[in-house]
Amino acid sequence: ETGVTQTPRHLVMGMTNKKSLKCEQHLGHNAMYWYKQSAKKPLELMFVYSLEERVENNSVPSRFSPECPNSSHLFLHLHTLQPEDSALYLCASSQEHSFSGNTIYFGEGSWLTVV
Amino acid sequence: DQQVKQNSPSLSVQEGRISILNCDYTNSMFDYFLWYKKYPAEGPTFLISISSIKDKNEDGRFTVFLNKSAKHLSLHIVPSQPGDSAVYFCAASGWGSGNTGKLIFGQGTTLQVKP
């Protein structure tokens, strides 16, 4: 059982829909992340939150909107997505975000298909 | 600019033999390196890490070697088992150049262990 849980595991949405991905970590960590994995590409960091404050936004289009209401929960709100946004979206957490020696623990991912 | 590279997209080994997965990096400020294992439809699982003050770290069947002068690390799995078949990602982090602990991932190597 993973300490980072993501829902839903699979999501199919139309380009005009609004949906959200949810992540919860049970590890007592202070930092949470959204990563994107597309086919044959390295994992791409999207957002970093530390103690509920966004500390990094890696040039992600505004159609992706993160929300971190507390240090245990992270959402990714999706609206007017494009088919090329279809990918595996991974949530992760770590004890801290700003020091080396940082081990990140991932959830099982949410498979998103935009039609 | 790919700071962490896994130049072999795939590797096939026989059960019981050694698997060697390689990773190269370009940023001399990296000082912490990790390996993750990923099964299809699951998130990456942390496997083993090494700090730059060491050149070897061992955990059961898994050993990571770090050659700082060559900016190269490798993961050895011995003996390899069919259950080790997965995609392996190396990742690096460090201070400087805006890294501040952020993990940079390689593209991954798919390992197949044949019975």
Side-chain angles (χ1 to χ4, degrees), chain A:
Chain A
E1 183 184 330
T2 178
V4 181
T5 56
Q6 291 185 239
T7 55
R9 293 294 313 280
H10 298 270
L11 177 63
V12 179
M13 60 185 289
M15 289 189 283
T16 57
N17 291 159
K18 288 185 181 180
K19 297 284 184 184
S20 296
L21 305 180
K22 179 183 174 183
C23 177
E24 183 175 359
Q25 59 98 359
H26 314 275
L27 301 169
H29 288 166
N30 292 323
M32 296 188 76
Y33 309 78
W34 281 115
Y35 280 84
K36 175 184 178 181
Q37 187 181 24
S38 305
K40 300 186 193 279
K41 285 190 179 180
L43 285 162
E44 299 173 57
L45 178 63
M46 300 175 73
F47 301 104
V48 181
Y49 276 82
S50 177
L51 296 170
E52 301 132 53
E53 193 174 317
R54 192 189 310 180
V55 296
E56 189 152 344
N57 175 350
N58 263 13
S59 304
V60 179
S62 59
R63 57 186 184 268
F64 295 92
S65 175
E67 178 190 359
C68 188
N70 55 63
S71 59
S72 299
H73 293 86
L74 186 65
F75 295 89
L76 187 63
H77 303 300
L78 316 167
H79 61 99
T80 59
L81 295 193
Q82 304 298 313
E84 58 265 30
D85 295 322
S86 300
L88 178 66
Y89 289 85
L90 290 158
C91 175
S93 71
S94 63
Q95 188 59 50
E96 303 292 344
H97 90 282
S98 60
F99 71 97
S100 192
N102 203 10
T103 299
I104 289 178
Y105 297 89
F106 287 89
E108 296 191 334
S110 294
W111 283 98
L112 173 66
T113 303
V114 182
V115 296

Side-chain angles (χ1 to χ4, degrees), chain B residues 5-97:
Chain B
K5 297 180 184 179
Q6 294 175 256
N7 291 317
S8 297
S10 62
L11 174 67
S12 181
V13 301
Q14 207 65 36
E15 181 179 7
R17 306 295 290 269
I18 184 171
S19 296
I20 300 176
L21 298 121
N22 294 303
C23 180
D24 297 294
Y25 60 96
T26 58
N27 190 337
S28 58
M29 300 300 289
F30 286 149
D31 59 6
Y32 186 61
F33 305 89
L34 306 91
W35 284 95
Y36 285 84
K37 173 181 176 180
K38 184 180 181 303
Y39 292 117
E42 293 184 12
T45 303
F46 169 68
L47 203 55
I48 192 169
S49 63
I50 188 167
S51 164
S52 60
I53 62 173
K54 294 185 173 183
D55 55 18
K56 176 183 174 181
N57 189 25
E58 189 173 349
D59 183 2
R61 297 185 297 113
F62 302 91
T63 303
V64 56
F65 295 92
L66 177 62
N67 183 334
K68 291 185 286 294
S69 60
K71 295 192 180 69
H72 177 85
L73 66 153
S74 60
L75 175 68
H76 292 211
I77 306 172
V78 58
S80 301
Q81 299 172 354
D84 296 328
S85 298
V87 180
Y88 289 79
F89 293 95
C90 69
S93 72
W95 291 102
S97 301

